[in-house]
Amino acid sequence: MTTYYPVYLNLRGRRCVIVGGGTVAEGKITRLLDSGADICVVSPDATPGIRQFVAGGSVRWEQREYRHGDLDGAFIAIAATNVREVNRRIFEEAEQRGVMLNAVDDPPNCSFIAPSIVQRGPVTLAISTGGVSPALARKLRESLQTSEALGWAELSSIMAVARSHLRETGMLASIDPQRWQCCITPDLLAMVQDGRQVEATESLLAGLTGDDGRGLCKVYLIGAGPGDPGLLTVKGRDALERADVVVYDRLAHPSLLDYAPPSAERIFAGKARGQQELTQDGINDLLVQKAQAGHRVARLKGGDPFVFGRAARRPSPWPATASRSKSCPAYPRPSQLPPTPESP
């Protein structure tokens, strides 16, 4: 199977040739026009929709069959025919001229494939199965369209304003990328969703440019439960999904680590034969150090950290980040279990 390199192309003002005039070609035209492409359709016939584009002057139409030379000067081309032999001829010309070609549903005659798209404002997610299953790509697209995660796209407007301001003041290059991540919070999103864009922008800039970054990110104390990974709370799972650093012990079920992003640093802090054990003070120091460096830290501990662990013991350097710490207890918590009935 071919492994494709994902990329976004700037097509503004670039020549794009579409061979074919059916409904598939019409669907391609809509998104290409959004990208500012200079579109030429080559086909003996065309759908009413394509004819409307032509009448409006946004698309040019060569009303004839494809012939060698039609890709002259093209940046990309799309073969939207259902004839493999024609696709092959177009592909051969594209290879000769160095033109990128997408032959719809014909991967052997493609130099690139078009992904399924999920779009929310300026945020675009591209989904591809490498040509293996367009149906699966569509299913993923439909699932993501209703995902709560796309709500973060609503921050795009204030993020753009903040970046522009920082660029104009010469501060953009000095902002640690991790600090941006720490400032993207549910509270910030809530401000935007409530229509408080100005307040949200000011809050974002204050977080990015404040002199003291300590406490900007949270430390989450997550109870991993008594062994069953299914007992992890939704709050605990959400904290893991946002973590930059995960500190865990051997009692935490290994599958729970899969919730953390692949890029997250994973630090084992439990007891294991042949390994030097971190003391509790050492673990506390590590949590504070990572948090003060601007990371979102998840302390994943087997059982309930407020019963079996030492979560109630606040480390001496903790005050700097205490206001930004959160606890995510395990359920059922031992203290919440019903009493064991006495045997008769």
Side-chain angles (χ1 to χ4, degrees), residues 14 16 20 43 53 74 78 80 85 92 120 151 191 211 311 315 325 340:
R14 296 182 183 272
C16 173
S43 177
F53 285 130
I78 296 175
E85 176 58 27
E92 289 176 352
R120 183 78 63 88
M191 290 183 201
D211 293 333
S325 64
T340 303

Side-chain angles (χ1 to χ4, degrees), residues 15 17-21 40-46 60-72 81 86 89 93:
R15 175 174 165 81
V17 176
I18 299 178
V19 180
C40 177
V41 173
V42 179
S43 177
D45 197 4
R60 288 177 288 108
W61 179 23
E62 297 288 340
Q63 193 172 0
R64 54 173 173 76
E65 297 284 353
Y66 160 79
R67 62 187 179 216
H68 188 85
D70 282 339
L71 303 190
D72 183 31
T81 80
V86 174
R89 288 166 47 208
E93 181 182 353

Side-chain angles (χ1 to χ4, degrees), residues 173-248:
S174 65
I175 304 296
D176 188 332
Q178 185 56 46
R179 193 147 184 167
W180 282 94
Q181 294 301 311
C182 291
C183 288
I184 300 175
T185 65
D187 290 341
L188 187 69
L189 179 60
M191 290 183 201
V192 172
Q193 292 175 333
D194 290 343
R196 296 147 55 198
Q197 273 79 6
V198 174
E199 181 183 351
T201 303
E202 292 175 349
S203 176
L204 175 59
L205 286 171
L208 291 169
T209 61
D211 293 333
D212 188 0
R214 296 183 304 170
L216 186 62
C217 284
K218 294 181 175 69
V219 174
Y220 291 90
L221 306 176
I222 305 173
D228 184 350
L231 295 177
L232 183 72
T233 62
V234 173
K235 184 182 291 186
R237 183 200 63 196
D238 291 346
L240 279 173
E241 289 176 345
R242 294 194 299 269
D244 306 304
V245 179
V246 181
V247 181
Y248 66 100

Side-chain angles (χ1 to χ4, degrees), residues 13-309:
R14 296 182 183 272
R15 175 174 165 81
C16 173
V17 176
I18 299 178
V19 180
T23 55
V24 173
E26 182 181 337
K28 299 292 184 181
I29 288 173
T30 302
R31 187 161 294 279
L32 287 168
L33 285 174
D34 291 340
S35 300
D38 176 19
I39 303 171
C40 177
V41 173
V42 179
S43 177
D45 197 4
T47 65
I50 293 178
R51 291 172 183 268
Q52 187 173 353
F53 285 130
V54 173
S58 57
V59 172
R60 288 177 288 108
W61 179 23
E62 297 288 340
Q63 193 172 0
R64 54 173 173 76
E65 297 284 353
Y66 160 79
R67 62 187 179 216
H68 188 85
D70 282 339
L71 303 190
D72 183 31
F75 182 72
I76 67 169
I78 296 175
T81 80
N82 56 5
V83 182
R84 295 297 174 94
E85 176 58 27
V86 174
N87 288 351
R88 185 189 62 78
R89 288 166 47 208
I90 300 171
F91 178 73
E92 289 176 352
E93 181 182 353
E95 290 291 283
Q96 292 171 4
R97 296 182 180 274
V99 176
M100 293 184 291
L101 174 69
N102 170 238
V104 180
D105 293 334
D106 189 4
N109 288 314
C110 287
S111 55
F112 79 95
I113 58 177
S116 288
I117 296 296
V118 178
Q119 193 161 19
R120 183 78 63 88
V123 177
T124 302
L125 304 180
I127 306 161
S128 173
T129 61
V132 171
S133 175
L136 178 58
R138 175 184 172 183
K139 183 65 176 179
L140 290 169
R141 171 175 58 81
E142 292 173 349
S143 299
L144 286 172
Q145 282 176 331
T146 57
S147 171
E148 292 183 359
L150 278 180
W152 293 108
E154 297 182 47
L155 293 178
S156 58
S157 59
I158 68 163
M159 298 292 283
V161 171
R163 281 181 60 85
S164 177
H165 173 80
L166 293 171
R167 186 180 292 109
E168 290 174 0
T169 56
M171 299 178 63
L172 183 60
S174 65
I175 304 296
D176 188 332
Q178 185 56 46
R179 193 147 184 167
W180 282 94
Q181 294 301 311
C182 291
C183 288
I184 300 175
T185 65
D187 290 341
L188 187 69
L189 179 60
M191 290 183 201
V192 172
Q193 292 175 333
D194 290 343
R196 296 147 55 198
Q197 273 79 6
V198 174
E199 181 183 351
T201 303
E202 292 175 349
S203 176
L204 175 59
L205 286 171
L208 291 169
T209 61
D211 293 333
D212 188 0
R214 296 183 304 170
L216 186 62
C217 284
K218 294 181 175 69
V219 174
Y220 291 90
L221 306 176
I222 305 173
D228 184 350
L231 295 177
L232 183 72
T233 62
V234 173
K235 184 182 291 186
R237 183 200 63 196
D238 291 346
L240 279 173
E241 289 176 345
R242 294 194 299 269
D244 306 304
V245 179
V246 181
V247 181
Y248 66 100
D249 57 42
R250 66 179 180 85
L251 295 179
H253 197 282
S255 66
L256 295 178
L257 295 175
D258 293 338
Y259 286 118
S263 59
E265 181 182 4
R266 290 159 169 79
I267 302 174
F268 179 72
K271 298 179 180 179
R273 181 174 298 179
Q275 294 185 12
Q276 184 176 359
E277 178 187 350
L278 276 175
T279 64
Q280 186 60 46
D281 288 339
I283 294 173
N284 291 339
D285 290 342
L286 176 65
L287 298 177
V288 173
Q289 175 189 354
K290 292 294 185 180
Q292 290 183 341
H295 295 287
R296 289 165 293 193
V297 185
R299 172 63 171 112
L300 183 62
K301 188 168 181 61
D304 189 329
F306 286 87
V307 177
F308 297 115

